[in-house]
């Protein structure tokens, strides 16, 4: 899914910029399996279903608000290299001190159009480009869904270290992925009429909607790769299915920032993914990088199905073209 910025607020509290983004793809490049990461989107183009993705954290509002999301996303290949995904989230907001009522509702629907631009098996490198559209007005305003569209052109990349020399063979299971997107709101500002409580005079408040640089990455150590492409250490089978990783998911206002400022917000997310032949399960901590990003350590977890492996000749087959090579992390063992 694209990097949507949720502007969460409750009872007139200052809004915090919180990134929500369930990962949407996995990818095989040579011997390298790139899993679907939980918060940033990776460069894969596949048929997949992420359901559910759940998270819980305290927002950067003052005082903070407890936010919980349950989301889902479906990705479908049109051709071998081009896919469209649809996703949304249901959000629960509530004051931590329980002194007021909470709010809940759907976030805006998001669509991501992604095309795999380049793939090199020898160097385990893949590059994709995409356009995410957040459809304004499809969600509930009381949980921060904007009434206007936001367009985010994005570049995705992944690089495995399998081409390192034999002297560095223990680093071959390492891989990095990255994403850089530029979010452009359809509306530059929103004006609101009000009344000054002291003088009774009419007021007009303007909130500018900034253009955002959405950026991040992950560093991973693949135990399946270690066993199949480097060395079988005879570890328990459960361990051989794990990919420990750390994600970074960050947002920086870069234009139209008069009311938002230019402070970067986001999270660092250490965790682990267990990969199977047909699905994966992942869990990560959500560690805010500053007070404006959140007031505690949260958590995110996801169950993710590989439809192209479950049914490669049916729902997992591109609409145009034949069944593709399975994208299982164990397909090349």
């Amino acid at each position: 899914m694209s990097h949507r910025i949720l502007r969460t607020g409750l009872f007139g509290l200052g809004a915090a910029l919180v990134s929500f983004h369930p990962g949407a793809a996995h990818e095989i490049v040579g011997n390298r399996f790139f899993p679907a990461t939980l918060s940033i989107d990776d460069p894969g183009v596949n048929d997949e279903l992420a359901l559910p993705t759940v998270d819980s954290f305290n927002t950067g509002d003052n005082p903070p608000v407890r936010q919980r999301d349950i989301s889902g996303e479906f990705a479908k290949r049109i051709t071998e290299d081009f896919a469209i995904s649809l996703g949304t989230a249901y959000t629960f907001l509530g004051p931590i001190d329980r002194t007021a009522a909470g709010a809940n509702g759907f976030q805006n629907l998001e669509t991501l159009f992604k095309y795999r631009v380049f793939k090199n098996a020898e160097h385990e490198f893949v590059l994709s480009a995409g356009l995410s559209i957040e459809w304004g007005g499809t969600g509930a305003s009381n949980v921060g869904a904007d009434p206007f569209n936001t367009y985010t052109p994005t570049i995705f990349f992944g690089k495995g270290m399998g081409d390192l020399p034999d002297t560095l063979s223990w680093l071959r299971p390492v891989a990095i992925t990255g994403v850089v997107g530029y979010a452009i709101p359809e509306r530059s500002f929103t004006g609101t009429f009000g009344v000054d409580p002291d003088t009774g005079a009419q007021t007009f408040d303007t909130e500018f909607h900034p253009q955002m640089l959405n950026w991040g990455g992950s560093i991973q150590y693949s135990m399946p790769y270690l066993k199949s492409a480097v060395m079988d250490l005879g570890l328990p089978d459960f361990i051989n299915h794990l990919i420990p990783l750390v994600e970074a998911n960050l947002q920086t206002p870069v234009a139209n920032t008069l009311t938002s400022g230019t402070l970067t917000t986001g999270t660092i997310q250490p965790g682990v993914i267990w990969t199977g032949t047909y699905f994966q399960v992942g869990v990560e901590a959500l560690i805010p990088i500053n007070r404006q990003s959140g007031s505690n350590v949260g958590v995110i977890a996801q169950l993710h199905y590989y439809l192209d492996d479950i049914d490669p000749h049916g729902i997992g087959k591109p609409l145009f073209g034949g069944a593709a090579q399975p994208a299982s992390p164990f397909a090349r063992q």
Side-chain angles (χ1 to χ4, degrees):
M1 186 179 287
S2 61
H3 286 66
R4 181 177 65 227
I5 301 299
L6 301 186
R7 187 172 289 276
T8 58
L10 195 58
F11 319 118
L13 300 178
L17 291 176
V18 179
S19 171
F20 170 77
H21 166 57
H26 68 292
E27 183 71 90
I28 283 279
V29 185
N31 289 326
R32 176 67 53 179
F33 173 82
F34 292 99
T37 41
L38 276 65
S39 286
I40 66 161
D41 204 345
D42 60 77
V45 175
N46 295 93
D47 292 271
E48 299 179 304
L49 177 65
L51 184 71
T53 300
V54 295
D55 62 53
S56 178
F57 56 92
N58 292 349
T59 71
D61 296 274
N62 188 21
V65 172
R66 168 66 69 177
Q67 178 168 336
R68 299 178 177 89
D69 300 293
I70 302 175
S71 66
E73 182 175 16
F74 172 67
K76 179 61 189 170
R77 285 178 298 172
I78 308 305
T79 68
E80 174 62 20
D81 295 315
F82 176 65
I84 299 175
S85 62
L86 298 172
T88 190
Y90 195 85
T91 294
F92 301 86
L93 296 176
I96 295 176
D97 58 11
R98 302 183 183 276
T99 58
N104 56 275
F106 279 101
Q107 296 294 336
N108 286 334
L109 177 69
E110 288 192 46
T111 304
L112 173 62
F113 304 89
K114 183 192 285 187
Y115 181 76
R116 185 190 296 113
V117 176
F118 179 74
K119 187 173 179 178
N120 183 283
E122 178 183 1
H123 296 290
E124 299 177 351
F125 179 77
V126 59
L127 179 71
S128 297
L131 174 65
S132 168
I133 304 176
E134 177 186 337
W135 302 100
T138 57
S141 60
N142 64 338
V143 293
D146 289 321
F148 50 84
N149 294 352
T150 298
Y151 305 93
T152 309
T154 305
I155 298 294
F156 315 86
F157 72 88
K159 176 68 175 75
M161 301 304 170
D163 54 359
L164 289 175
D166 291 341
T167 54
L168 299 174
S169 61
W170 287 98
L171 293 177
R172 288 177 179 169
V174 173
I176 59 173
T177 65
V179 59
V180 179
Y182 193 83
I184 306 170
E186 184 179 55
R187 186 181 300 173
S188 296
F189 67 91
T190 297
T192 305
F193 286 99
V195 176
D196 188 309
D198 297 323
T199 66
Q202 189 177 57
T203 62
F204 184 79
D205 295 324
T206 301
E207 179 187 11
F208 291 90
H209 307 301
Q211 297 179 12
M212 306 286 294
L213 182 68
N214 296 328
W215 55 288
S218 77
I219 183 168
Q220 314 166 8
Y221 194 89
S222 174
M223 299 305 292
Y225 191 98
L226 176 66
K227 177 182 177 180
S228 63
V230 181
M231 179 183 296
D232 186 353
L233 299 178
L235 298 173
D237 187 60
F238 178 80
I239 301 297
N240 289 327
H241 284 249
L242 296 178
I243 302 179
L245 75 164
V246 178
E247 291 188 65
N249 187 13
L250 306 168
Q251 308 82 40
T252 303
V254 292
N256 203 32
T257 60
L258 186 61
T259 57
S260 69
T262 58
L263 180 70
T264 295
T265 57
T267 52
I268 304 298
Q269 302 175 205
V272 65
I273 294 173
W274 183 93
T275 60
T277 302
Y278 301 115
F279 68 94
Q280 67 175 53
V281 180
V283 61
E284 296 175 351
L286 297 171
I287 303 174
I289 64 169
N290 49 34
R291 177 59 182 80
Q292 291 76 10
S293 302
S295 59
N296 76 325
V297 176
V299 64
I300 182 171
Q302 183 184 86
L303 175 60
H304 192 104
Y305 299 94
Y306 309 145
L307 300 181
D308 40 12
D309 293 322
I310 294 172
D311 187 12
H313 300 283
I315 192 172
K317 177 179 176 293
L319 294 181
F320 300 97
Q325 167 187 300
S328 165
F330 312 102
R332 296 182 176 271
Q333 288 186 14

PDB file of all heavy atoms in Angstrom, residues 275-305:
ATOM      1  N   THR A 275       8.435 -17.054   7.435  1.00  0.00           N
ATOM      2  CA  THR A 275       7.987 -17.272   6.071  1.00  0.00           C
ATOM      3  C   THR A 275       7.676 -18.739   5.837  1.00  0.00           C
ATOM      4  O   THR A 275       8.491 -19.618   6.158  1.00  0.00           O
ATOM      5  CB  THR A 275       9.065 -16.826   5.066  1.00  0.00           C
ATOM      6  OG1 THR A 275      10.263 -17.585   5.277  1.00  0.00           O
ATOM      7  CG2 THR A 275       9.369 -15.353   5.237  1.00  0.00           C
ATOM      8  N   GLY A 276       6.512 -18.997   5.265  1.00  0.00           N
ATOM      9  CA  GLY A 276       6.141 -20.331   4.845  1.00  0.00           C
ATOM     10  C   GLY A 276       6.065 -20.405   3.332  1.00  0.00           C
ATOM     11  O   GLY A 276       6.422 -19.458   2.622  1.00  0.00           O
ATOM     12  N   THR A 277       5.572 -21.518   2.841  1.00  0.00           N
ATOM     13  CA  THR A 277       5.442 -21.683   1.394  1.00  0.00           C
ATOM     14  C   THR A 277       4.294 -20.862   0.844  1.00  0.00           C
ATOM     15  O   THR A 277       4.367 -20.347  -0.279  1.00  0.00           O
ATOM     16  CB  THR A 277       5.235 -23.165   1.052  1.00  0.00           C
ATOM     17  OG1 THR A 277       6.345 -23.920   1.559  1.00  0.00           O
ATOM     18  CG2 THR A 277       5.144 -23.372  -0.450  1.00  0.00           C
ATOM     19  N   TYR A 278       3.226 -20.704   1.614  1.00  0.00           N
ATOM     20  CA  TYR A 278       2.027 -20.042   1.117  1.00  0.00           C
ATOM     21  C   TYR A 278       1.647 -18.782   1.892  1.00  0.00           C
ATOM     22  O   TYR A 278       0.733 -18.072   1.485  1.00  0.00           O
ATOM     23  CB  TYR A 278       0.842 -21.014   1.149  1.00  0.00           C
ATOM     24  CG  TYR A 278       1.068 -22.252   0.328  1.00  0.00           C
ATOM     25  CD1 TYR A 278       1.147 -23.509   0.929  1.00  0.00           C
ATOM     26  CD2 TYR A 278       1.215 -22.177  -1.060  1.00  0.00           C
ATOM     27  CE1 TYR A 278       1.357 -24.654   0.167  1.00  0.00           C
ATOM     28  CE2 TYR A 278       1.421 -23.311  -1.822  1.00  0.00           C
ATOM     29  CZ  TYR A 278       1.497 -24.545  -1.204  1.00  0.00           C
ATOM     30  OH  TYR A 278       1.720 -25.671  -1.958  1.00  0.00           O
ATOM     31  N   PHE A 279       2.322 -18.507   2.991  1.00  0.00           N
ATOM     32  CA  PHE A 279       1.978 -17.318   3.777  1.00  0.00           C
ATOM     33  C   PHE A 279       3.150 -16.940   4.657  1.00  0.00           C
ATOM     34  O   PHE A 279       4.123 -17.695   4.806  1.00  0.00           O
ATOM     35  CB  PHE A 279       0.733 -17.570   4.629  1.00  0.00           C
ATOM     36  CG  PHE A 279       0.936 -18.570   5.736  1.00  0.00           C
ATOM     37  CD1 PHE A 279       1.268 -18.145   7.018  1.00  0.00           C
ATOM     38  CD2 PHE A 279       0.808 -19.934   5.498  1.00  0.00           C
ATOM     39  CE1 PHE A 279       1.471 -19.057   8.039  1.00  0.00           C
ATOM     40  CE2 PHE A 279       1.007 -20.849   6.511  1.00  0.00           C
ATOM     41  CZ  PHE A 279       1.339 -20.419   7.791  1.00  0.00           C
ATOM     42  N   GLN A 280       3.054 -15.762   5.262  1.00  0.00           N
ATOM     43  CA  GLN A 280       4.039 -15.313   6.236  1.00  0.00           C
ATOM     44  C   GLN A 280       3.333 -14.630   7.391  1.00  0.00           C
ATOM     45  O   GLN A 280       2.212 -14.122   7.249  1.00  0.00           O
ATOM     46  CB  GLN A 280       5.052 -14.355   5.609  1.00  0.00           C
ATOM     47  CG  GLN A 280       4.463 -13.018   5.188  1.00  0.00           C
ATOM     48  CD  GLN A 280       5.516 -12.050   4.676  1.00  0.00           C
ATOM     49  OE1 GLN A 280       6.294 -12.374   3.786  1.00  0.00           O
ATOM     50  NE2 GLN A 280       5.525 -10.843   5.241  1.00  0.00           N
ATOM     51  N   VAL A 281       3.984 -14.613   8.535  1.00  0.00           N
ATOM     52  CA  VAL A 281       3.484 -13.940   9.733  1.00  0.00           C
ATOM     53  C   VAL A 281       4.607 -13.052  10.257  1.00  0.00           C
ATOM     54  O   VAL A 281       5.752 -13.503  10.374  1.00  0.00           O
ATOM     55  CB  VAL A 281       3.061 -14.940  10.821  1.00  0.00           C
ATOM     56  CG1 VAL A 281       2.544 -14.203  12.054  1.00  0.00           C
ATOM     57  CG2 VAL A 281       2.003 -15.897  10.301  1.00  0.00           C
ATOM     58  N   GLY A 282       4.287 -11.798  10.544  1.00  0.00           N
ATOM     59  CA  GLY A 282       5.308 -10.881  11.024  1.00  0.00           C
ATOM     60  C   GLY A 282       4.827 -10.066  12.203  1.00  0.00           C
ATOM     61  O   GLY A 282       3.626  -9.795  12.349  1.00  0.00           O
ATOM     62  N   VAL A 283       5.767  -9.663  13.054  1.00  0.00           N
ATOM     63  CA  VAL A 283       5.461  -8.772  14.175  1.00  0.00           C
ATOM     64  C   VAL A 283       6.648  -7.855  14.393  1.00  0.00           C
ATOM     65  O   VAL A 283       7.804  -8.281  14.286  1.00  0.00           O
ATOM     66  CB  VAL A 283       5.123  -9.575  15.455  1.00  0.00           C
ATOM     67  CG1 VAL A 283       6.294 -10.440  15.905  1.00  0.00           C
ATOM     68  CG2 VAL A 283       4.677  -8.646  16.570  1.00  0.00           C
ATOM     69  N   GLU A 284       6.375  -6.572  14.666  1.00  0.00           N
ATOM     70  CA  GLU A 284       7.419  -5.579  14.891  1.00  0.00           C
ATOM     71  C   GLU A 284       7.003  -4.611  15.988  1.00  0.00           C
ATOM     72  O   GLU A 284       5.801  -4.354  16.190  1.00  0.00           O
ATOM     73  CB  GLU A 284       7.694  -4.774  13.617  1.00  0.00           C
ATOM     74  CG  GLU A 284       8.248  -5.576  12.466  1.00  0.00           C
ATOM     75  CD  GLU A 284       8.393  -4.770  11.199  1.00  0.00           C
ATOM     76  OE1 GLU A 284       7.899  -3.610  11.153  1.00  0.00           O
ATOM     77  OE2 GLU A 284       8.986  -5.289  10.238  1.00  0.00           O
ATOM     78  N   ALA A 285       7.989  -4.067  16.691  1.00  0.00           N
ATOM     79  CA  ALA A 285       7.744  -2.947  17.600  1.00  0.00           C
ATOM     80  C   ALA A 285       7.674  -1.657  16.794  1.00  0.00           C
ATOM     81  O   ALA A 285       8.304  -1.533  15.734  1.00  0.00           O
ATOM     82  CB  ALA A 285       8.859  -2.865  18.637  1.00  0.00           C
ATOM     83  N   LEU A 286       6.908  -0.700  17.271  1.00  0.00           N
ATOM     84  CA  LEU A 286       6.812   0.629  16.666  1.00  0.00           C
ATOM     85  C   LEU A 286       7.466   1.618  17.631  1.00  0.00           C
ATOM     86  O   LEU A 286       6.864   2.015  18.634  1.00  0.00           O
ATOM     87  CB  LEU A 286       5.354   1.018  16.424  1.00  0.00           C
ATOM     88  CG  LEU A 286       4.559   0.159  15.446  1.00  0.00           C
ATOM     89  CD1 LEU A 286       3.076   0.539  15.481  1.00  0.00           C
ATOM     90  CD2 LEU A 286       5.100   0.318  14.034  1.00  0.00           C
ATOM     91  N   ILE A 287       8.704   2.011  17.332  1.00  0.00           N
ATOM     92  CA  ILE A 287       9.452   2.899  18.218  1.00  0.00           C
ATOM     93  C   ILE A 287       9.484   4.300  17.597  1.00  0.00           C
ATOM     94  O   ILE A 287      10.131   4.517  16.568  1.00  0.00           O
ATOM     95  CB  ILE A 287      10.889   2.388  18.418  1.00  0.00           C
ATOM     96  CG1 ILE A 287      10.865   0.956  18.962  1.00  0.00           C
ATOM     97  CG2 ILE A 287      11.659   3.303  19.364  1.00  0.00           C
ATOM     98  CD1 ILE A 287      12.238   0.316  19.054  1.00  0.00           C
ATOM     99  N   PRO A 288       8.768   5.277  18.183  1.00  0.00           N
ATOM    100  CA  PRO A 288       8.756   6.625  17.599  1.00  0.00           C
ATOM    101  C   PRO A 288      10.123   7.284  17.679  1.00  0.00           C
ATOM    102  O   PRO A 288      10.857   7.113  18.657  1.00  0.00           O
ATOM    103  CB  PRO A 288       7.719   7.374  18.452  1.00  0.00           C
ATOM    104  CG  PRO A 288       7.635   6.604  19.730  1.00  0.00           C
ATOM    105  CD  PRO A 288       7.933   5.172  19.388  1.00  0.00           C
ATOM    106  N   ILE A 289      10.467   8.048  16.637  1.00  0.00           N
ATOM    107  CA  ILE A 289      11.792   8.679  16.608  1.00  0.00           C
ATOM    108  C   ILE A 289      11.832   9.962  17.419  1.00  0.00           C
ATOM    109  O   ILE A 289      12.918  10.460  17.738  1.00  0.00           O
ATOM    110  CB  ILE A 289      12.249   8.957  15.163  1.00  0.00           C
ATOM    111  CG1 ILE A 289      11.320   9.978  14.485  1.00  0.00           C
ATOM    112  CG2 ILE A 289      12.336   7.675  14.359  1.00  0.00           C
ATOM    113  CD1 ILE A 289      11.863  10.492  13.149  1.00  0.00           C
ATOM    114  N   ASN A 290      10.680  10.527  17.766  1.00  0.00           N
ATOM    115  CA  ASN A 290      10.611  11.729  18.592  1.00  0.00           C
ATOM    116  C   ASN A 290       9.223  11.810  19.202  1.00  0.00           C
ATOM    117  O   ASN A 290       8.333  10.992  18.894  1.00  0.00           O
ATOM    118  CB  ASN A 290      10.952  12.994  17.793  1.00  0.00           C
ATOM    119  CG  ASN A 290      10.179  13.086  16.479  1.00  0.00           C
ATOM    120  OD1 ASN A 290       9.018  12.655  16.382  1.00  0.00           O
ATOM    121  ND2 ASN A 290      10.819  13.649  15.455  1.00  0.00           N
ATOM    122  N   ARG A 291       9.018  12.786  20.088  1.00  0.00           N
ATOM    123  CA  ARG A 291       7.735  12.909  20.794  1.00  0.00           C
ATOM    124  C   ARG A 291       6.591  13.186  19.838  1.00  0.00           C
ATOM    125  O   ARG A 291       5.453  12.728  20.057  1.00  0.00           O
ATOM    126  CB  ARG A 291       7.823  14.026  21.846  1.00  0.00           C
ATOM    127  CG  ARG A 291       6.522  14.307  22.599  1.00  0.00           C
ATOM    128  CD  ARG A 291       6.017  13.073  23.340  1.00  0.00           C
ATOM    129  NE  ARG A 291       4.758  13.329  24.027  1.00  0.00           N
ATOM    130  CZ  ARG A 291       3.567  13.326  23.444  1.00  0.00           C
ATOM    131  NH1 ARG A 291       3.470  13.074  22.146  1.00  0.00           N
ATOM    132  NH2 ARG A 291       2.477  13.560  24.149  1.00  0.00           N
ATOM    133  N   GLN A 292       6.853  13.907  18.762  1.00  0.00           N
ATOM    134  CA  GLN A 292       5.798  14.213  17.801  1.00  0.00           C
ATOM    135  C   GLN A 292       5.350  12.986  17.007  1.00  0.00           C
ATOM    136  O   GLN A 292       4.295  12.993  16.384  1.00  0.00           O
ATOM    137  CB  GLN A 292       6.274  15.305  16.830  1.00  0.00           C
ATOM    138  CG  GLN A 292       6.437  16.672  17.462  1.00  0.00           C
ATOM    139  CD  GLN A 292       7.699  16.793  18.309  1.00  0.00           C
ATOM    140  OE1 GLN A 292       8.558  15.918  18.290  1.00  0.00           O
ATOM    141  NE2 GLN A 292       7.806  17.879  19.053  1.00  0.00           N
ATOM    142  N   SER A 293       6.143  11.917  17.049  1.00  0.00           N
ATOM    143  CA  SER A 293       5.802  10.686  16.334  1.00  0.00           C
ATOM    144  C   SER A 293       5.010   9.707  17.189  1.00  0.00           C
ATOM    145  O   SER A 293       4.442   8.747  16.662  1.00  0.00           O
ATOM    146  CB  SER A 293       7.091   9.989  15.866  1.00  0.00           C
ATOM    147  OG  SER A 293       7.852  10.827  15.037  1.00  0.00           O
ATOM    148  N   GLY A 294       4.967   9.926  18.486  1.00  0.00           N
ATOM    149  CA  GLY A 294       4.254   9.024  19.381  1.00  0.00           C
ATOM    150  C   GLY A 294       4.796   9.131  20.786  1.00  0.00           C
ATOM    151  O   GLY A 294       5.893   9.651  21.011  1.00  0.00           O
ATOM    152  N   SER A 295       4.028   8.618  21.743  1.00  0.00           N
ATOM    153  CA  SER A 295       4.403   8.769  23.151  1.00  0.00           C
ATOM    154  C   SER A 295       4.691   7.438  23.824  1.00  0.00           C
ATOM    155  O   SER A 295       4.846   7.393  25.040  1.00  0.00           O
ATOM    156  CB  SER A 295       3.282   9.499  23.909  1.00  0.00           C
ATOM    157  OG  SER A 295       2.068   8.768  23.812  1.00  0.00           O
ATOM    158  N   ASN A 296       4.753   6.354  23.058  1.00  0.00           N
ATOM    159  CA  ASN A 296       5.113   5.066  23.642  1.00  0.00           C
ATOM    160  C   ASN A 296       5.571   4.137  22.540  1.00  0.00           C
ATOM    161  O   ASN A 296       5.508   4.472  21.349  1.00  0.00           O
ATOM    162  CB  ASN A 296       3.933   4.448  24.393  1.00  0.00           C
ATOM    163  CG  ASN A 296       2.905   3.849  23.436  1.00  0.00           C
ATOM    164  OD1 ASN A 296       2.673   4.375  22.346  1.00  0.00           O
ATOM    165  ND2 ASN A 296       2.288   2.750  23.835  1.00  0.00           N
ATOM    166  N   VAL A 297       6.049   2.964  22.918  1.00  0.00           N
ATOM    167  CA  VAL A 297       6.392   1.929  21.950  1.00  0.00           C
ATOM    168  C   VAL A 297       5.131   1.142  21.628  1.00  0.00           C
ATOM    169  O   VAL A 297       4.482   0.600  22.521  1.00  0.00           O
ATOM    170  CB  VAL A 297       7.491   0.994  22.496  1.00  0.00           C
ATOM    171  CG1 VAL A 297       7.771  -0.134  21.506  1.00  0.00           C
ATOM    172  CG2 VAL A 297       8.762   1.784  22.773  1.00  0.00           C
ATOM    173  N   GLY A 298       4.772   1.106  20.350  1.00  0.00           N
ATOM    174  CA  GLY A 298       3.601   0.369  19.921  1.00  0.00           C
ATOM    175  C   GLY A 298       3.985  -0.965  19.300  1.00  0.00           C
ATOM    176  O   GLY A 298       5.136  -1.410  19.384  1.00  0.00           O
ATOM    177  N   VAL A 299       3.020  -1.589  18.635  1.00  0.00           N
ATOM    178  CA  VAL A 299       3.256  -2.893  18.025  1.00  0.00           C
ATOM    179  C   VAL A 299       2.433  -3.006  16.755  1.00  0.00           C
ATOM    180  O   VAL A 299       1.349  -2.412  16.640  1.00  0.00           O
ATOM    181  CB  VAL A 299       2.894  -4.033  19.013  1.00  0.00           C
ATOM    182  CG1 VAL A 299       1.404  -4.027  19.339  1.00  0.00           C
ATOM    183  CG2 VAL A 299       3.319  -5.385  18.466  1.00  0.00           C
ATOM    184  N   ILE A 300       2.966  -3.729  15.766  1.00  0.00           N
ATOM    185  CA  ILE A 300       2.248  -4.017  14.533  1.00  0.00           C
ATOM    186  C   ILE A 300       2.472  -5.487  14.196  1.00  0.00           C
ATOM    187  O   ILE A 300       3.568  -6.022  14.407  1.00  0.00           O
ATOM    188  CB  ILE A 300       2.711  -3.102  13.377  1.00  0.00           C
ATOM    189  CG1 ILE A 300       1.905  -3.382  12.109  1.00  0.00           C
ATOM    190  CG2 ILE A 300       4.198  -3.236  13.114  1.00  0.00           C
ATOM    191  CD1 ILE A 300       2.150  -2.375  10.995  1.00  0.00           C
ATOM    192  N   ALA A 301       1.430  -6.159  13.708  1.00  0.00           N
ATOM    193  CA  ALA A 301       1.515  -7.571  13.333  1.00  0.00           C
ATOM    194  C   ALA A 301       0.702  -7.784  12.073  1.00  0.00           C
ATOM    195  O   ALA A 301      -0.256  -7.048  11.788  1.00  0.00           O
ATOM    196  CB  ALA A 301       1.015  -8.469  14.458  1.00  0.00           C
ATOM    197  N   GLN A 302       1.082  -8.807  11.289  1.00  0.00           N
ATOM    198  CA  GLN A 302       0.423  -9.030  10.004  1.00  0.00           C
ATOM    199  C   GLN A 302       0.435 -10.510   9.625  1.00  0.00           C
ATOM    200  O   GLN A 302       1.420 -11.218   9.849  1.00  0.00           O
ATOM    201  CB  GLN A 302       1.135  -8.240   8.913  1.00  0.00           C
ATOM    202  CG  GLN A 302       0.491  -8.342   7.531  1.00  0.00           C
ATOM    203  CD  GLN A 302       1.300  -7.610   6.478  1.00  0.00           C
ATOM    204  OE1 GLN A 302       2.220  -8.159   5.898  1.00  0.00           O
ATOM    205  NE2 GLN A 302       0.961  -6.336   6.269  1.00  0.00           N
ATOM    206  N   LEU A 303      -0.672 -10.946   9.026  1.00  0.00           N
ATOM    207  CA  LEU A 303      -0.774 -12.238   8.362  1.00  0.00           C
ATOM    208  C   LEU A 303      -0.900 -11.970   6.872  1.00  0.00           C
ATOM    209  O   LEU A 303      -1.780 -11.219   6.447  1.00  0.00           O
ATOM    210  CB  LEU A 303      -1.991 -13.015   8.864  1.00  0.00           C
ATOM    211  CG  LEU A 303      -2.293 -14.352   8.174  1.00  0.00           C
ATOM    212  CD1 LEU A 303      -1.138 -15.328   8.309  1.00  0.00           C
ATOM    213  CD2 LEU A 303      -3.575 -14.954   8.740  1.00  0.00           C
ATOM    214  N   HIS A 304      -0.015 -12.570   6.076  1.00  0.00           N
ATOM    215  CA  HIS A 304       0.105 -12.217   4.659  1.00  0.00           C
ATOM    216  C   HIS A 304       0.112 -13.495   3.824  1.00  0.00           C
ATOM    217  O   HIS A 304       0.921 -14.396   4.056  1.00  0.00           O
ATOM    218  CB  HIS A 304       1.419 -11.442   4.456  1.00  0.00           C
ATOM    219  CG  HIS A 304       1.538 -10.774   3.140  1.00  0.00           C
ATOM    220  ND1 HIS A 304       1.382  -9.425   2.970  1.00  0.00           N
ATOM    221  CD2 HIS A 304       1.800 -11.269   1.910  1.00  0.00           C
ATOM    222  CE1 HIS A 304       1.553  -9.110   1.694  1.00  0.00           C
ATOM    223  NE2 HIS A 304       1.807 -10.224   1.037  1.00  0.00           N
ATOM    224  N   TYR A 305      -0.816 -13.572   2.843  1.00  0.00           N
ATOM    225  CA  TYR A 305      -0.965 -14.761   2.007  1.00  0.00           C
ATOM    226  C   TYR A 305      -0.340 -14.539   0.628  1.00  0.00           C
ATOM    227  O   TYR A 305      -0.531 -13.488   0.008  1.00  0.00           O
ATOM    228  CB  TYR A 305      -2.441 -15.104   1.820  1.00  0.00           C
ATOM    229  CG  TYR A 305      -3.161 -15.410   3.105  1.00  0.00           C
ATOM    230  CD1 TYR A 305      -3.865 -14.412   3.785  1.00  0.00           C
ATOM    231  CD2 TYR A 305      -3.151 -16.693   3.646  1.00  0.00           C
ATOM    232  CE1 TYR A 305      -4.534 -14.683   4.961  1.00  0.00           C
ATOM    233  CE2 TYR A 305      -3.827 -16.978   4.823  1.00  0.00           C
ATOM    234  CZ  TYR A 305      -4.507 -15.965   5.481  1.00  0.00           C
ATOM    235  OH  TYR A 305      -5.170 -16.239   6.651  1.00  0.00           O
TER     236      TYR A 305
END
